[in-house]
């Protein structure tokens, strides 16, 4: 099984899948090898990648909190932080990281389930990316329903330092990671990571984890790079991802994923 992160790994800075990457993915899928996206993105942000690949794979979304079948637009499994935990962790975050803003990712039965407000943010939350698709709500509404991910944003801060500051207070109540260095950390249910998501998918497909090749570039990729039989970090990767990998390939802009996969598939 081949599993890959999306941003900073599979796609370039313009969020495109290169022709070279598309060709090798097409070849390995034709050879009967499962290809899985393992991303911090929620399911509703997977469509452009599916279009670029011309293939609808199984997806481990939201850092392992959601297993999503993009071919049928079906949420197969979701693991959430409960309301009580969300409220407690939010209070801790606001005390330990003064000035931070809160947002929450939720999921329904499909990627674009209109019955569920999928991304809600408090007034203090400042987005770390352009063109957010959030619903602005009162602060208490952010933690009023179970969430697949709690996002904590502190503009101008370092994500790694935010994680280090918060982790001792959160303990085992949630799993903390980050996929950007720009003052954003992401919290999931305890033990939920991209690795746990890949274990679920591999078990469904009857594949041993030592038969998994995984690609990634950020700290949220570290668990799956360590889990895989062969973990590959990008040349542009965070130091934690590089330390966790068995190999370092070229950058995402220079077709790093394709360069490795072309050893077996052309």
């Amino acid at each position: 099984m081949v599993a890959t992160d999306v941003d900073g790994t599979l796609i370039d800075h313009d969020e495109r899948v290169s022709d070279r990457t598309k060709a090798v993915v097409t070849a390995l899928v034709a050879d009967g090898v499962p290809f899985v996206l393992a991303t911090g993105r929620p399911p509703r942000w997977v469509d452009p990648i599916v279009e670029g690949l011309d293939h609808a794979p199984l997806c481990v979304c939201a850092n392992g909190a959601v297993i999503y079948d993009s071919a049928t637009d079906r949420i197969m499994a979701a693991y959430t932080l409960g309301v009580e935990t969300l409220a407690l962790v939010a209070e801790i975050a606001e005390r330990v990281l003064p000035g931070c803003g809160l947002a929450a990712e939720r999921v329904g039965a499909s990627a674009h389930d209109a019955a569920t407000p999928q991304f809600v943010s408090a007034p203090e939350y400042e987005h770390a990316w352009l063109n957010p698709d959030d619903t602005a709500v009162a602060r208490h509404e952010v933690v009023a329903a179970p969430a697949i991910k709690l996002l904590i944003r502190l503009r101008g801060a370092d994500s790694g330092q935010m994680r280090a500051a918060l982790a001792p207070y959160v303990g085992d109540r949630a799993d903390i990671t980050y996929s950007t260095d720009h003052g954003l950390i992401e919290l999931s249910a305890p033990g939920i990571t991209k690795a746990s998501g890949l274990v679920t998918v591999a078990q469904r497909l009857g594949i041993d984890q030592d038969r998994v090749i995984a690609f990634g570039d950020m700290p949220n990729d570290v668990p799956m790079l360590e889990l895989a039989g062969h973990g590959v970090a990008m040349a542009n990767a965070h130091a934690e991802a590089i330390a966790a990998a068995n190999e370092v390939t070229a950058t995402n802009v220079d077709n790093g994923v394709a360069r490795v996969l072309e050893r077996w598939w052309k």
Side-chain angles (χ1 to χ4, degrees), residues 3-10 38-40 194 215-217 220-221 224:
T4 180
D5 172 51
V6 172
D7 298 280
T9 301
L10 185 70
T39 177
K194 290 188 181 184
F215 297 84
D217 73 306
N220 63 329
D221 296 313
M224 77 168 178

Side-chain angles (χ1 to χ4, degrees), residues 155-227:
R155 185 174 182 177
D158 176 271
S159 300
Q161 293 177 359
M162 290 174 66
R163 180 183 65 178
L166 193 61
Y169 297 93
V170 171
D172 60 1
R173 297 181 180 92
D175 207 282
I176 309 175
T177 191
Y178 60 99
S179 56
T180 173
D181 287 317
H182 303 303
L184 178 67
I185 54 176
E186 306 159 46
L187 286 76
S188 302
I192 297 301
T193 65
K194 290 188 181 184
S196 67
L198 285 184
V199 167
T200 298
V201 172
Q203 288 175 342
R204 285 177 179 266
L205 299 176
I207 296 170
D208 294 334
Q209 65 189 49
D210 61 359
R211 303 277 293 171
V212 175
I213 303 171
F215 297 84
D217 73 306
M218 286 298 288
N220 63 329
D221 296 313
V222 167
M224 77 168 178
L225 294 176
E226 294 176 337
L227 170 88

